[in-house]
Amino acid sequence: GRKTSFFIKEQRMSNSYFKFKQFTIEQERCAMKVGTDGCLLGGWFDCSASRRILDIGTGSGLIAIMAAQRCDAMVTGIEIDSEAAAQATENVKNSPWKNRIEIVNADLLGYTAGEPFDTIVSNPPYFVNSLKCDDASRTLARHSDSLTSNAFFGKASKLLTPDGKISIVIPSDIEGEWRNAANGEGFTPSRITYIKTTPKKAPKRVLIEFVRGNRAECTTATLVLEIEPGTYSKEAQDILRDFYLKIM
């Protein structure tokens, strides 16, 4: 599963809540707890020109709330699990940006929006081959049986403006599968960041931004989280500084 790693050690992920600089995430009713993947994606994806943002599989509402902190866009978080959606709704209500965030309890594949989004962001389900756990909602959050890469891009394509962007975080060992699925819907990567926990380790996660067509030059980078145990890299600090209490 998603290991407790990096800065999350400071506040254990099993906590019923996770405190950030400007908001708190209550998560006891959410299958997937606050983790490094979501925090990095929430701080990394480009929302500089966003007017309407969709967070697919919002869970506790973390990325949707991070997005609202970072820009002036209207943000929608969609979540299939009703308990998580209810908790996300409460987290939004208690945040400073409640007037700009909407949580929708729905299955993405049946979801329709009044107007398209210019930015889609997602920490999608991807534990395809791992053993299913007893907790059905955790299984739903963790398994891409419920939302395959092809289904994800097929639906995202319909919800996105012609020149919109899609940003995701996935394990690096399934990068090829997700890029193929994106390609099948006419998307190519415009920005990729490989995430290493330490300098010597192979990348475990990858952040990818997709756009339509082949017009984009793709910029590729590698982000090392910890330059030594307990010491975060400058790049990691830059992404997380506005959110994480321990980074000044």
Side-chain angles (χ1 to χ4, degrees), residues 210-246:
F210 293 96
V211 294
R212 283 192 170 90
N214 290 308
R215 59 204 163 83
E217 289 291 310
C218 184
T219 56
T220 304
T222 299
L223 172 72
V224 177
L225 293 181
E226 296 183 318
I227 41 180
E228 55 187 61
T231 307
Y232 318 137
S233 70
K234 181 187 180 299
E235 292 81 3
Q237 290 187 45
D238 287 347
I239 290 175
L240 299 163
R241 178 171 287 111
D242 290 345
F243 305 99
Y244 188 52
L245 288 168
K246 302 282 180 182

Side-chain angles (χ1 to χ4, degrees), residues 64-78:
I65 295 171
M66 289 178 78
Q69 179 181 326
R70 292 182 58 208
C71 66
D72 295 329
M74 300 299 292
V75 183
T76 300
I78 185 170

Side-chain angles (χ1 to χ4, degrees), residues 1-5 8 13 31-39 57 62-63 122-127 138 140-143 169-171 205:
R2 301 182 190 192
K3 283 210 283 289
T4 301
S5 84
I8 302 290
M13 283 163 65
M32 298 310 292
K33 307 303 182 190
V34 168
T36 312
D37 295 0
C39 293
L62 171 67
I63 293 173
S122 184
N123 180 2
Y126 49 62
F127 288 74
R138 189 167 168 80
L140 200 62
R142 289 181 54 173
H143 283 270
V169 59
I170 50 171
R205 296 284 187 268

Side-chain angles (χ1 to χ4, degrees), residues 2-246:
R2 301 182 190 192
K3 283 210 283 289
T4 301
S5 84
F6 174 51
F7 69 97
I8 302 290
K9 291 174 195 147
E10 310 279 355
Q11 304 183 58
R12 303 301 294 184
M13 283 163 65
S14 55
N15 273 6
S16 68
Y17 66 91
F18 197 101
K19 196 163 173 43
F20 292 89
K21 280 181 177 169
Q22 296 192 49
F23 60 91
T24 298
I25 295 291
E26 296 284 348
Q27 57 182 9
E28 70 274 5
R29 295 159 69 187
C30 298
M32 298 310 292
K33 307 303 182 190
V34 168
T36 312
D37 295 0
C39 293
L40 286 172
L41 178 63
W44 176 88
F45 84 99
D46 178 16
C47 61
S48 54
S50 303
R51 284 180 50 255
R52 282 171 55 76
I53 298 173
L54 177 64
D55 175 21
I56 294 174
T58 197
S60 62
L62 171 67
I63 293 173
I65 295 171
M66 289 178 78
Q69 179 181 326
R70 292 182 58 208
C71 66
D72 295 329
M74 300 299 292
V75 183
T76 300
I78 185 170
E79 174 54 50
I80 192 171
D81 182 75
S82 56
E83 283 293 296
Q87 185 132 63
T89 301
E90 286 167 22
N91 286 332
V92 164
K93 196 171 75 183
N94 294 326
S95 82
W97 310 282
K98 59 176 183 280
N99 297 334
R100 287 195 287 113
I101 311 172
E102 176 193 26
I103 301 296
V104 179
N105 178 204
D107 181 341
L108 174 70
L109 302 182
Y111 173 67
T112 53
E115 58 177 301
F117 297 89
D118 52 49
T119 308
I120 291 177
V121 62
S122 184
N123 180 2
Y126 49 62
F127 288 74
V128 192
N129 299 317
S130 63
L131 291 169
K132 289 196 168 49
C133 46
D134 296 335
D135 181 339
S137 63
R138 189 167 168 80
T139 299
L140 200 62
R142 289 181 54 173
H143 283 270
S144 59
D145 310 9
S146 56
L147 184 66
T148 65
S149 53
N150 288 327
F152 174 90
F153 282 105
K155 186 66 181 186
S157 178
K158 294 182 174 73
L159 293 168
L160 192 71
T161 58
D163 54 358
K165 294 176 175 180
I166 299 174
S167 295
I168 61 171
V169 59
I170 50 171
S172 28
D173 59 2
I174 59 169
E175 179 190 353
E177 177 210 325
W178 280 74
R179 283 177 68 167
N180 286 340
N183 201 251
E185 293 293 336
F187 290 96
T188 49
S190 49
R191 192 161 62 111
I192 300 175
T193 298
Y194 293 98
I195 299 166
K196 293 179 166 192
T197 47
T198 60
K200 293 199 167 80
K201 289 198 172 144
K204 279 277 173 67
R205 296 284 187 268
V206 57
L207 297 155
I208 312 177
E209 174 189 276
F210 293 96
V211 294
R212 283 192 170 90
N214 290 308
R215 59 204 163 83
E217 289 291 310
C218 184
T219 56
T220 304
T222 299
L223 172 72
V224 177
L225 293 181
E226 296 183 318
I227 41 180
E228 55 187 61
T231 307
Y232 318 137
S233 70
K234 181 187 180 299
E235 292 81 3
Q237 290 187 45
D238 287 347
I239 290 175
L240 299 163
R241 178 171 287 111
D242 290 345
F243 305 99
Y244 188 52
L245 288 168
K246 302 282 180 182

